[in-house]
Amino acid sequence: MAGYETHTYDVLVVGAGGAGLRAAIAAAAQGARVGLVCKSLLGKAHTVMAEGGAAAALGNVDDRDNWRVHFADTMRGGAYLNNWRMAELHAQEAPARVRELEAWGALFDRTPDGRILQRNFGGHRYPRLAHVGDRTGLEMIRTLQDHSVYEPKISVHMETTLITLLRSGNRVVGGFGYEREKGGFLLFRAKAVVLATGGIGRAFQITSNSWEYTGDGLGLAYRAGAELMDMEFVQFHPTGMIWPPSVRGLLVTEGVRGEGGILKNSEGRRFMFDNIPPLYQSHTADNPEEGWRYTQGDKNARRPPELLTRDHVARMIMREVKAGRGSPHGGVYLDIAWIKEKLPNAAAHIQRKLPSMYHQFKQLADVDITEQPMEIGPTMHYMMGGIKVDAESQMSTVPGLFAAGECAAGLHGANRLGGNSLSDLLVFGNRAGEYAARYAAAAPPLEAADADMKAQADQAAQEALAPFSRSRGEGPFQVQQALQELMQNNAGIVRTQAELETARAGIAELRRRAEHVAVDGNRGYNPGWHTALDLRNLLIVAEAVATAAVQRQESRGAHFRDDFPAKDDGQGLYNSIVARGAGGAMEFRRQPLRPMPAELQQIIEEMK
Amino acid sequence: MAQAMFRIWRGDARGGGFQDFTVQISDGMVVLDVVHQIQAEQANDLAVRWNCKAGKCGSCSAEINGHPKLMCMTRLSSLPLDRPVTVEPMRTFPLVRDLVTDVSWNYEVKKRIKPFQPRTPDAADGTWRMDQRDVDRVQEFRKCIECFLCQDVCHVLREHQLHREYIGPRFYVHTAALEMHPLDVANRLADLRGPGGLGYCNITKCCTKVCPEGIKITDNAIIPLKERVVDEFYDPVRRLFRIFRPKPQPPPAKGAPEAEPEPTRTAASSSAPR
Ligand SMILES: Cc1cc2nc3c(=O)[nH]c(=O)nc-3n(C[C@H](O)[C@H](O)[C@H](O)COP(=O)(O)OP(=O)(O)OC[C@H]3O[C@@H](n4cnc5c(N)ncnc54)[C@H](O)[C@@H]3O)c2cc1C
Ligand code: SF4
Ligand code: SF4
Ligand code: FES
């Protein structure tokens, strides 16, 4: 198209993490020509950081496991707000998706009889996470990357950022963005678009997420008219590093607790035994000895309370800190070194099972985890909410626009179980790619939409370049930092009406400031400019989080209200929806849960 | 709070130079923190690549005081701060801007390496059985985070610029991971010896020294590959054997037919180009 470098595809996949790569492979398998764009280099997306594993009921370690148990665990973890059809498909299809990775070259850790080994993780009844030490995400992304590079139907545009979706009527017909190196604009014509852009961590100050997580997919979809769902449910992982300050937020994998790590307060007390929620009492050990046996694979033992769901563990840690029983830098202690009381070669065992954690602490904090406890505290980790999608096809509420992975909502309900994300990427990445390709095959030709695309691209280009023309204005990093602080303090782990209102007012103010940011330099590889462009999406997701959180006047899953500390099934059984109203303002509504079919209901009853 | 001086390379393909920045430093900081601080407060447009800030993605490679390192894993406490700390981009790759280089060559190289090709499944359900011991060996190579620091330091690329005839240590590690994969049945030895340029490596071990993942690139990947190449092409018994029984048949699948090795370079010779 005149003026912009233009590419035409059947399916445009935005994001090259696990979900995007899997979607691209699936779409190409359907015969579609696929364009794959990502903000970083290939293989660097967030998925690379995942540590613990991918949950799939293979039943290799405990043959009592099957999709039904996985389904029930996922629903219980999500406090029953999950899209049950997604939870069902996920539990059923995850094993095949994981095995397929092995056929593509992935090398998971093995059981003694040579099959894929599975490990314990919070909220999963049986050992279920296929893993590779504590670098499962790297194995997964490299396998998908190395598989896709040989696929001639996939063209990759690395270091390219989409800034807007292009529409014709109510359909999505492509996207418009810029490449980092020179800052040139690119126009993608595509019959279908799959968003796989990951999460929103950069809306918070303390997070395990990288710079890429500015909620782009959510912002793009919202601006294109799609509905966002369950935005109040933001997961705080209980164990992030807290010292030294430069690594604050960096994740300490749940695998540490899965291997026997325990939480202690400054008095040396193992406080997790103090408060076990009724819903989990029958599955949880009531003494340390039983908990230890569970981590060592004793099938008759129940799991230690350290492996309860993340929201609960995070709040228990906050409680200890608030009560003055925290560690020097405002966290608590996570101790794996203690297992030397139980195992002869404990130090070597820890280094083999948790190699990245060993190095992370050694190199960044001068702590030897085989000898000393780690100081940890909660860190913003995962977004359960996101783009509302159809369970089977992953299509959003806008025709031609699909979403998969962390940027989509539904599977995890009010709280995600560890390990359910990597399997989510595979199952729903695959589905999104397949259905997007099918949709593209039946979609009308793009020529009729070219005039619309050009007009929208011109406008987007003009808006994107505006920060260069402002001679005097605030820097973009200052606005981003102010937003992170605002959200951390007012929409974090424990929330109140007053704080959430403060957040909302603050966001409105920051939006005004964002309109006046100025950037130095030129368009070539300019992080200041990129940050200025990201602000728009960050502000949309922040507003959506605060809006949905104000409305939910109860505590459920990851959403905890100090002013409404109890779960309230009378008014809480709904999914919250936000979308852009006709006048441009954000609108909120409650969507009642769809009734669950009797057979799924029965599974849940049986597994209680 | 203490201060330090950072001397950071700024510029693009047309030219550039070092620029000095004075920064405030605190406990536990890494070089990437300093770069970010400069970016936020003194030079918004300072170009740098990073993602994870945890040594897991391999994006933030640079040369710190002349040593190839990950910026996110280099603590200030490991550097002498009584003189300026220099930070410059990897020198083996063309410069994009400031600390960012064009590493796309590496992505092209990978496409030329024969893909993974598994043997037929061991079990009726389409799965395989593998021993943890066999897996361990390959897992070492699969730890690679593609930071390309080993490529940066290898003299065959850095000084001799043999980017067309040599794939570099990263891709020997990659090839070794495929060749030693318990399930793989493809044969990449001819490619290694020919277009892979394995003969150019003269085992200086510089690559191993800089690998942030601690992969023993030379001892565990390159040397065994060299040995395999020797066995395959120079062992007379093997050779005879090959004439009568030309290598276990890979399942008919994707990939080009095996190219005949060209007898150009000798894999056993360890002479590097001068
Ligand atoms: C430290 C850590 C450990 C974790 N451990 C586990 C675990 O053990 N098990 C588990 O199940 N889950 C884990 N998770 C969660 C899981 O890793 C993520 O939820 C998951 O990887 C997200 O994958 P994705 O494909 O949705 O997105 P990502 O892998 O984040 O990929 C997003 C992609 O979108 C691209 N993108 C974003 N915006 C744009 C744009 N505007 N234009 C173009 N491209 C764009 C990015 O460049 C990137 O390629 C962990 C997360 C973290 C942070
Ligand atoms: S050992 Fe070989 S590959 Fe490694 S740096 Fe030396 S010459 Fe290069
Ligand atoms: S082998 Fe080591 S140095 Fe080379 S790219 Fe991989 S991780 Fe980096
Ligand atoms: S930022 Fe990922 S390795 Fe340094």
Side-chain angles (χ1 to χ4, degrees):
Chain A
M1 202 172 292
Y4 307 110
E5 180 184 331
T6 301
H7 299 270
T8 302
Y9 299 110
D10 296 319
V11 177
L12 178 69
V13 178
V14 188
L21 285 166
R22 190 63 192 81
I25 292 169
Q30 296 284 314
R33 285 164 308 149
V34 181
L36 179 61
V37 301
C38 51
K39 292 211 270 193
S40 299
L41 297 172
L42 202 54
K44 312 292 183 199
H46 225 79
T47 300
V48 82
M49 296 176 72
E51 297 165 351
L58 299 161
N60 287 356
V61 170
D62 193 321
D63 58 14
R64 290 172 297 181
D65 201 14
N66 58 51
W67 78 262
R68 289 182 181 78
V69 192
H70 192 182
F71 166 78
D73 287 350
T74 302
M75 294 296 295
R76 187 187 309 111
Y80 303 106
L81 293 193
N82 325 51
N83 176 329
W84 45 261
R85 180 61 178 147
M86 282 175 84
E88 181 187 14
L89 288 169
H90 169 254
Q92 288 171 339
E93 294 177 8
R97 294 285 84 79
V98 168
R99 290 197 194 106
E100 177 178 79
L101 287 183
E102 187 150 281
W104 296 347
L107 276 177
F108 293 102
D109 287 351
R110 318 307 296 178
T111 60
D113 67 348
R115 294 182 298 164
I116 296 174
L117 180 62
Q118 298 180 273
R119 72 156 47 117
N120 286 314
F121 236 56
H124 294 281
R125 181 175 286 198
Y126 302 118
R128 190 176 283 146
L129 269 66
H131 62 277
V132 185
D134 52 11
R135 55 163 194 88
T136 314
L138 171 64
E139 186 70 14
M140 203 166 114
I141 202 165
R142 198 70 79 231
T143 302
L144 292 170
Q145 174 191 346
D146 291 355
H147 189 76
S148 66
V149 294
Y150 298 105
E151 174 52 70
K153 285 194 150 40
I154 302 176
S155 315
V156 183
H157 301 264
M158 297 198 271
E159 300 201 308
T160 298
T161 305
L162 218 64
I163 54 175
T164 191
L165 292 167
L166 301 173
R167 287 194 306 160
S168 178
N170 68 342
R171 277 184 310 133
V172 163
V173 289
F176 183 72
Y178 64 87
E179 47 82 24
R180 238 159 228 275
E181 180 168 340
K182 301 226 160 51
F185 289 120
L186 292 171
L187 194 152
F188 299 96
R189 303 163 81 235
K191 291 179 178 165
V193 175
V194 178
L195 295 174
T197 55
I200 67 157
R202 288 284 132 183
F204 291 83
Q205 202 172 27
I206 301 175
T207 174
S208 63
N209 296 178
S210 83
W211 68 269
E212 288 198 311
Y213 268 18
T214 48
D216 291 7
L218 281 64
L220 292 168
Y222 175 87
R223 286 188 275 131
E227 292 183 340
L228 307 181
M229 187 170 92
D230 291 344
M231 292 295 289
E232 66 273 42
F233 297 113
V234 177
Q235 181 171 79
F236 290 83
H237 194 290
T239 59
M241 288 177 81
I242 56 173
W243 190 259
S246 85
V247 295
R248 187 159 197 145
L250 206 64
L251 194 76
V252 180
T253 176
E254 191 166 321
V256 175
R257 285 168 284 144
E259 298 297 340
I262 59 175
L263 291 168
K264 292 195 289 197
N265 64 19
S266 60
E267 295 163 1
R269 181 176 172 78
R270 197 167 163 191
F271 57 86
M272 286 305 298
F273 279 109
D274 296 349
N275 183 352
I276 298 170
L279 195 58
Y280 284 93
Q281 249 154 22
S282 63
H283 307 166
T284 309
D286 51 16
N287 66 81
E289 191 49 40
E290 181 178 359
W292 165 250
R293 282 193 282 114
Y294 176 89
T295 63
Q296 299 311 297
D298 181 341
K299 292 184 183 172
N300 298 317
R302 293 169 300 173
R303 69 180 137 222
E306 275 84 1
L307 290 177
L308 285 163
T309 51
R310 291 177 174 175
D311 54 305
H312 176 74
V313 181
R315 277 195 301 276
M316 290 288 286
I317 293 172
M318 293 292 284
R319 202 179 70 172
E320 291 306 302
V321 174
K322 280 200 178 140
R325 296 187 292 265
S327 64
H329 303 105
V332 297
Y333 295 106
L334 171 61
D335 187 5
I336 182 81
W338 81 277
I339 69 171
K340 60 178 173 256
E341 294 167 21
K342 298 281 184 186
L343 292 179
N345 273 323
H349 178 81
I350 294 167
Q351 283 187 40
R352 188 163 48 81
K353 286 288 183 179
L354 302 162
S356 330
M357 283 306 112
Y358 175 76
H359 285 121
Q360 186 171 313
F361 274 89
K362 191 96 183 147
Q363 265 181 289
L364 297 175
D366 288 324
V367 167
D368 178 350
I369 66 168
T370 67
E371 295 287 338
Q372 298 156 271
M374 301 159 243
E375 235 190 301
I376 55 89
T379 178
M380 187 279 162
H381 184 57
Y382 186 86
M383 183 60 189
M384 269 72 70
I387 302 160
K388 184 184 157 195
V389 291
D390 170 61
E392 324 276 330
S393 68
Q394 298 292 104
M395 188 151 89
S396 71
T397 51
V398 174
L401 183 63
F402 298 73
E406 188 167 343
C407 71
L411 171 61
H412 309 292
N415 187 25
R416 173 184 73 104
L417 299 185
N420 267 0
S421 171
L422 291 186
S423 44
D424 169 9
L425 311 182
L426 296 171
V427 168
F428 293 107
N430 178 48
R431 282 186 163 262
E434 181 184 330
Y435 281 88
R438 286 203 215 162
Y439 174 94
L446 292 166
E447 282 64 31
D450 278 338
D452 287 341
M453 286 197 241
K454 172 87 169 73
Q456 291 165 35
D458 286 346
Q459 197 195 336
Q462 197 190 341
E463 284 170 17
L465 294 177
F468 285 114
S469 59
R470 297 185 196 120
S471 53
R472 254 184 312 161
E474 207 178 353
F477 293 99
Q478 282 67 28
V479 179
Q480 195 193 45
Q481 281 161 12
L483 177 66
Q484 291 167 344
E485 214 168 297
L486 181 74
M487 293 299 283
Q488 187 76 32
N489 296 335
N490 297 292
I493 308 182
V494 176
R495 301 164 169 175
T496 65
Q497 189 80 17
E499 286 170 355
L500 289 166
E501 294 295 358
T502 306
R504 289 178 53 173
I507 292 164
E509 170 59 25
L510 286 169
R511 179 163 292 128
R512 279 188 288 277
R513 278 167 64 181
E515 279 163 16
H516 300 289
V517 295
V519 298
D520 308 331
N522 58 35
R523 284 161 64 178
Y525 221 107
N526 184 340
W529 183 40
H530 306 152
T531 303
L533 296 181
D534 292 344
L535 282 174
R536 182 163 50 173
N537 298 322
L538 270 180
L539 285 162
I540 290 172
V541 296
E543 185 182 357
V545 169
T547 302
V550 163
Q551 294 287 338
R552 186 171 288 279
Q553 301 196 331
E554 62 151 357
S555 294
R556 180 183 298 267
H559 172 73
F560 188 84
R561 287 282 298 257
D562 219 13
D563 40 0
F564 301 97
K567 185 151 84 179
D568 181 356
D569 280 348
Q571 54 129 333
L573 290 174
Y574 68 89
N575 294 113
S576 43
I577 305 285
V578 297
R580 183 147 80 169
M586 187 174 283
E587 287 177 2
F588 173 89
R589 73 183 168 85
R590 293 180 168 76
Q591 175 182 279
L593 301 183
R594 266 193 317 152
M596 205 185 298
E599 42 316 347
L600 295 181
Q601 193 67 57
Q602 197 189 336
I603 294 174
I604 287 175
E605 289 306 319
E606 281 167 15
M607 307 284 168
K608 271 215 164 113
Chain B
M1 222 188 263
Q3 281 194 341
M5 169 84 92
F6 271 70
R7 185 160 287 174
I8 297 186
W9 209 91
R10 309 249 8 224
D12 56 24
R14 286 165 305 190
F18 284 102
Q19 191 179 337
D20 287 348
F21 297 94
T22 306
V23 293
Q24 304 294 327
I25 59 168
S26 60
D27 226 12
M29 266 172 111
V30 294
V31 171
L32 187 60
D33 291 320
V34 173
V35 172
H36 281 157
Q37 192 180 312
I38 293 171
Q39 204 179 54
E41 292 164 10
Q42 305 184 49
N44 273 190
D45 61 341
L46 172 59
V48 59
R49 254 194 206 113
W50 70 286
N51 273 56
C52 67
K53 205 168 173 289
K56 295 196 162 102
C57 71
S59 302
C60 65
S61 306
E63 299 185 8
I64 300 166
N65 284 346
H67 299 294
K69 283 189 158 76
L70 297 177
M71 287 185 267
C72 71
M73 296 303 278
T74 307
R75 293 182 72 181
L76 299 190
S77 56
S78 70
L79 301 168
L81 295 178
D82 50 349
R83 54 196 120 116
V85 176
T86 62
V87 187
E88 51 191 314
M90 288 193 284
R91 295 237 238 101
T92 295
F93 303 108
L95 185 64
V96 172
R97 215 163 77 73
D98 302 343
L99 300 175
V100 176
T101 56
D102 177 0
V103 292
S104 57
W105 172 77
N106 293 286
Y107 290 86
E108 294 308 314
V109 169
K110 191 184 259 182
K111 290 187 197 164
R112 303 204 303 260
I113 296 170
K114 266 192 215 143
F116 173 68
Q117 213 175 314
R119 66 174 186 239
T120 43
D122 303 335
D125 63 355
T127 60
W128 289 271
R129 300 289 177 270
M130 284 179 256
D131 202 90
Q132 183 67 44
R133 265 174 318 184
D134 299 332
V135 167
D136 277 342
R137 180 157 77 150
V138 182
Q139 280 179 341
E140 177 189 1
F141 305 139
R142 294 185 65 92
K143 284 196 305 194
C144 169
I145 56 175
E146 299 199 329
C147 65
F148 307 129
L149 287 172
C150 56
Q151 307 286 72
D152 182 43
V153 83
C154 177
H155 66 103
V156 184
L157 296 169
R158 193 180 177 103
E159 270 116 52
H160 306 287
Q161 296 283 321
L162 291 180
H163 290 75
R164 276 203 304 249
E165 347 94 273
Y166 184 75
I167 58 178
R170 157 60 191 137
F171 294 101
Y172 297 137
V173 169
H174 181 63
T175 309
L178 290 163
E179 284 289 304
M180 299 180 200
H181 193 298
L183 304 184
D184 183 77
V185 293
N187 185 332
R188 300 167 189 82
L189 298 180
D191 295 348
L192 269 180
R193 177 171 168 256
L198 188 60
Y200 286 111
C201 162
N202 56 344
I203 321 199
T204 59
K205 300 203 182 185
C206 311
C207 50
T208 303
K209 280 185 211 121
V210 300
C211 177
E213 284 295 309
I215 301 170
K216 299 220 164 53
I217 304 175
T218 352
D219 289 356
N220 293 352
I222 295 178
I223 293 173
L225 286 177
K226 282 184 179 257
E227 285 167 1
R228 287 181 184 212
V229 169
V230 171
D231 284 353
E232 176 95 352
F233 296 107
Y234 303 98
D235 180 334
V237 182
R238 265 296 277 257
R239 212 173 192 163
L240 264 183
F241 193 67
R242 276 190 344 123
I243 293 170
F244 296 115
R245 235 197 49 181
K247 193 193 157 73
Q249 57 313 318
K254 53 194 174 181
E258 209 141 302
E260 260 313 297
E262 299 159 89
T264 43
R265 271 184 303 276
T266 59
S269 97
S270 56
S271 69
R274 271 159 222 282

